[in-house]
Amino acid sequence: MNATQTVFAGERSLLSRLAEARKNTDELFRIVRTESLYERPIPERHRIIFYLGHLEAFDWNLFRTNGALLQSFAPELDKLFAFGIDPVDGGLPTDQPEDWPALSKVLEYTTRIRQTIDEALDAGQLAASSDSEHSAEQILNVAIEHRLMHSETLAYMFHRLPFDKKHVQPEINAPGTPV
């Protein structure tokens, strides 16, 4: 196998891992009822809607700052979902649901980001540029690790969310468990 085939195979593997990590977080968000996305199941954490935007915004900001030719189409949302609405003076967050964008706006933003990133990945535009200090492989690994880290956070948050705020999940038997 030559070097080009090796890089291509490695990139395919990373893209598969990114797709799997996205699938994981997408499935976690499907647990929450739409009307509950503005809840805050853990007082010290952001509202759920933040994380819905944050995962895609993190990837967007990460890939854009690595020399990619991706232009921001919503700088205010890039910033909001990069940092959230931080509490004042170190106290608990006091933001209200109405302080956050409408779900339709968040979904439009995240869908456009994911589509733009995927198109750039498919076209090879997210490879490290000559002025970048990080390789495309490093950037993809950071995006994957970040998303998986938040999978754990989301699972913990959703565990704390009252049952009536979640969709009933199918029962799954552990391997080796009698049916």
Side-chain angles (χ1 to χ4, degrees), residues 8-18 144:
F8 183 72
E11 185 176 301
R12 266 200 331 255
S13 173
L14 283 172
L15 295 177
S16 293
R17 287 181 50 224
L18 177 62
I144 293 163

Side-chain angles (χ1 to χ4, degrees), residues 10 16 39 56 60 73-74 82 86 91 96 132 136 162-165 174:
S16 293
E39 296 289 325
E56 303 307 327
W60 181 244
F73 57 90
D86 288 327
Q96 299 300 307
S132 174
F163 287 119
D164 64 337
K165 308 236 181 234

Side-chain angles (χ1 to χ4, degrees), residues 33-175:
R33 293 183 179 277
T34 302
E35 63 273 12
S36 300
L37 287 169
Y38 290 83
E39 296 289 325
R40 184 193 323 272
I42 299 174
E44 297 82 6
R45 294 244 175 233
H46 284 297
R47 294 179 183 280
I48 296 167
I49 194 71
F50 165 77
Y51 297 96
L52 186 63
H54 174 68
L55 293 173
E56 303 307 327
F58 181 89
D59 290 354
W60 181 244
N61 291 326
L62 180 68
F63 287 122
R64 285 184 328 108
T65 58
N66 195 48
L69 303 174
L70 303 175
Q71 297 300 313
S72 179
F73 57 90
E76 72 286 353
L77 293 179
D78 296 343
K79 183 177 179 184
L80 173 65
F81 290 119
F83 303 108
I85 300 173
D86 288 327
V88 179
D89 298 326
L92 291 176
T94 59
D95 60 285
Q96 299 300 307
E98 57 272 9
D99 296 332
W100 292 90
L103 178 60
S104 59
K105 187 173 182 177
V106 175
L107 292 175
E108 180 182 308
Y109 171 75
T110 58
T111 299
R112 184 168 173 189
I113 285 174
R114 194 178 282 193
Q115 181 180 2
T116 303
I117 287 173
D118 288 349
E119 288 171 359
L121 284 167
D122 289 345
Q125 294 174 338
L126 296 183
S129 67
S130 58
D131 63 340
S132 174
E133 62 185 80
H134 304 290
S135 70
E137 180 181 356
Q138 288 172 313
I139 296 300
L140 281 165
N141 274 312
V142 169
I144 293 163
E145 184 176 330
H146 175 260
R147 191 170 288 266
L148 293 176
M149 175 196 68
H150 276 299
S151 292
E152 182 178 2
T153 301
L154 292 169
Y156 178 70
M157 286 176 59
F158 298 166
H159 177 73
R160 300 279 303 269
L161 195 64
F163 287 119
D164 64 337
K165 308 236 181 234
K166 298 183 270 192
H167 294 287
V168 175
Q169 300 300 299
E171 200 171 309
I172 300 173
N173 290 325

